[in-house]
Amino acid sequence: MFHHSSKLQYPVRVDKPDPQFAMLLQQAIGGIEGEIRVAMQYFFQAMGARGDDRIRDLLMSTATEELSHIEMLGHAVALNLEGAPVSYQEASAKDPVINAILGGANPRHLLSSGLSAMPVNANGVPFDMSHVYATGNIAADMQANVAAEASGRVLASRLYNWTDDKGMKDFLSFLIARDTYHQQQWLAVIEDLGGLQESLPIPNSTPEEHEATEHSYYFLNTLLDKEAPQGRWSEGPSLDGRSQYSFKQQPEPLGQVPTLGKAKPGSGAQKEQL
């Protein structure tokens, strides 16, 4: 059961409506870096969370907060569309607005939604849930969540730099701050599970005899004209504490030539293939 407050989580105001910025804000709603993505990701992770009920509660609470962000962004889109023309004659009388529309504003805000937000990205493509990651493995999901919050914070930072509207900057500064916390929240869950060393490799429940461990800790250099890039990944103890990193400068292929042989009769192949 969900509950809803009639008030927004944080104040949203627009000092000067901007239809083009409304289009850009759509990325924060329905883009792969956006709030629909993380809300659904955390929601489905919560529904599949087994074990520690604290993690399920954390995921569900954060999922519903992200729904709040969708509502705020939807209101921001609508406010930025205030005063946008609804007819050619009206647009013709305001040349700068025509330029705004023809210069990149989303025509579907006029044609499909009545000057309000839609569940689409900045190009008008609907979010299709293909970037919702919920594996049922807490450690894997937490790492996916850190990446989702990181890309969301990148987007919010770019949107902040794209506008000079004080109201929008204030609102985006709030979203940037929440992304800051949520990144660290998911990392803190990993730490609560024992940290990277205890969590890795994911899943840490896979029996070691199921893994060809002689191939688990080397970097494979496939660059023909460069030496292997050196760093933490190529030497020293592995992050899971199970081995030492190394690298193969000129690796030799270990497999066979993938020859399939003759085609089956009746398979539609040429007679030369049979």
Side-chain angles (χ1 to χ4, degrees), residues 153-172:
R153 194 172 187 274
V154 169
L155 174 62
S157 298
R158 288 171 175 166
L159 287 168
Y160 185 96
N161 292 332
W162 201 279
T163 182
D164 60 1
D165 187 279
K166 291 182 179 179
M168 284 291 89
K169 281 186 175 293
D170 179 63
F171 168 51
L172 289 164

Side-chain angles (χ1 to χ4, degrees), residues 193-206:
L193 294 171
L196 276 179
Q197 182 162 325
E198 291 298 318
S199 298
L200 294 175
I202 299 170
N204 58 10
S205 59
T206 299

Side-chain angles (χ1 to χ4, degrees), residues 258-264 273-274:
T259 300
L260 295 179
K262 301 292 186 179
K264 290 181 65 175
Q273 295 176 265
L274 303 176

Side-chain angles (χ1 to χ4, degrees), residues 15-36:
D15 297 328
K16 184 180 179 182
D18 182 349
Q20 284 184 308
F21 195 63
M23 179 190 67
L24 299 181
L25 284 173
Q26 284 288 161
Q27 191 69 16
I29 296 176
I32 60 173
E33 315 94 332
E35 305 291 351
I36 292 177

